[in-house]
Amino acid sequence: MNILLTVAYLDGWHGSAIQILEYAEILSKTNQVSIACLRFTSDFKSLLQETNVNVFEVKNESMPLEYDLVYSFHFPVLSFLLNKGIKTKKWVAGSLSPTTALESFPSYWKEENFLTVHSGRSIELHNMHYGIPQDKMKLFGNPIPDYFADFKHHKDGFPKYPKKIGIVSNHTPDEILGIKKYLPKNIKLEFYGYSKKYVRITPEILSQYDLIITVGKTVNYALGMGIPVYEYDMFGGCGYITVDNYAPEKFRNFCGLATERKLDSQVIVSEILQNYEAAVCNISTLQSYALDDFLLSKLMKDFIDFVNASSEVNLSKEKLLDYSLEITHDIITTVLLAGIDTAKDKKFIDRLIGFIRRRIYNWH
């Protein structure tokens, strides 16, 4: 198939950029894949060129306009492309968050083959806020690329207490920053994210640690490698992922919102040290859960099967004339978004899109 993926930005190691990169890497093994975005960095272009994936900035470049499948994230980008004349036989839109305005679905979602979401809670909220039928959405969890599962980190066993802890967050809360004060001095901490080591998280990085403190996608990575995870970030969290709390935390994409439990640094350290051995005892079971639920090759096979079983929609600008006002507003939004720094102005992006959606579409 000739496949186009859309995303707003490929400009840093944040959720949507990593996700699209992983999708492109696996899809390009058996398909012709391109990505359309508002902005990309040279790092992303180099990584994509290694897998023969073309990447285009929609405002500045001409690009092919006919595809077998468009898998679109960040709806203004697709509206901009529709105005340029893009056509596709099949179309799927994805959302990586039920609460971020840029991750909401386009107003013309009814014309799509189906929608994908990351969690059971996302299905509930998209239905509640936007009236999208639950059976229109398919669960496509936060994937673990197979190279995480296949990586051999040669651990003979975990220590009684974690000797080296990795913290992965783009918004590390003060209570996590403060744990160093209370940890034994022989336990080493290393931070990854916007304000620390801002790099792509790989199996080689995670394999160095006896414990990972994080939320979201990196929870899945670590569990898929068989490394204990302490879930905690800006919204708080449940602490250690266990056999008992795995299902409710998965339902909320391991984001910390299932409990919204906030602790101070000293209590976090006490939990880390006291409950580590129990976490290690459960890790093989949790690893099997995570790989059953999130292994990318399995998820992508299911996705392509759904696509192949879907009828052709022949999406085009002409087919969406009833949505011309919404598409016009999306195009204006795209022009504004193209000049925004995602790292510095993420809240502004969300407020801008949220305002447009509430005032024009009367969405909640």
Side-chain angles (χ1 to χ4, degrees), residues 72 91 127 182 189 193 206 212 216 282-283:
S72 64
W91 175 46
N127 172 257
Y182 300 101
L189 286 181
L206 295 184
I212 301 297
N282 287 325
I283 194 59

Side-chain angles (χ1 to χ4, degrees), residues 7-9 38 73-77 99-107 130 326 329-338 340 342 345-364:
V7 65
Y9 305 100
L38 302 180
F73 291 84
H74 302 157
F75 65 93
V77 180
T99 55
T100 303
L102 186 58
E103 296 290 351
S104 54
F105 290 112
S107 56
Y130 310 129
E326 292 95 326
H329 284 105
D330 291 348
I331 292 167
I332 295 170
T333 302
T334 301
V335 174
L336 293 172
L337 292 177
I340 292 176
T342 50
D345 300 319
K346 187 179 179 194
K347 289 183 179 179
F348 173 75
I349 294 171
D350 215 45
R351 285 197 294 267
L352 170 68
I353 296 172
F355 173 82
I356 293 171
R357 302 231 109 177
R358 287 191 298 274
R359 295 303 176 92
I360 296 172
Y361 307 154
N362 294 317
W363 286 10
H364 302 301

Side-chain angles (χ1 to χ4, degrees), residues 252-361:
R252 299 294 290 261
N253 195 33
F254 300 106
C255 68
L257 286 171
T259 59
E260 295 186 75
R261 193 181 68 124
K262 301 281 282 186
L263 305 172
D264 64 37
S265 301
Q266 191 169 8
V267 174
I268 291 171
V269 169
S270 177
E271 284 194 352
I272 286 172
L273 298 179
Q274 290 179 14
N275 300 328
Y276 183 70
E277 282 189 282
V280 169
C281 289
N282 287 325
I283 194 59
S284 293
T285 302
L286 291 170
Q287 182 179 21
S288 66
Y289 288 175
L291 294 180
D292 282 347
D293 288 332
F294 302 115
L295 190 65
L296 181 54
S297 58
K298 177 178 178 293
L299 293 178
M300 194 56 75
K301 180 183 181 303
D302 292 343
F303 174 80
I304 294 298
D305 286 347
F306 280 126
V307 169
N308 289 336
S310 300
S311 57
E312 291 190 2
V313 295
N314 295 312
L315 183 71
S316 65
K317 180 180 178 181
E318 293 74 25
K319 187 174 181 178
L320 297 176
L321 289 176
D322 290 343
Y323 301 93
S324 56
L325 176 62
E326 292 95 326
I327 290 174
T328 299
H329 284 105
D330 291 348
I331 292 167
I332 295 170
T333 302
T334 301
V335 174
L336 293 172
L337 292 177
I340 292 176
D341 184 322
T342 50
K344 296 178 181 177
D345 300 319
K346 187 179 179 194
K347 289 183 179 179
F348 173 75
I349 294 171
D350 215 45
R351 285 197 294 267
L352 170 68
I353 296 172
F355 173 82
I356 293 171
R357 302 231 109 177
R358 287 191 298 274
R359 295 303 176 92
I360 296 172
Y361 307 154

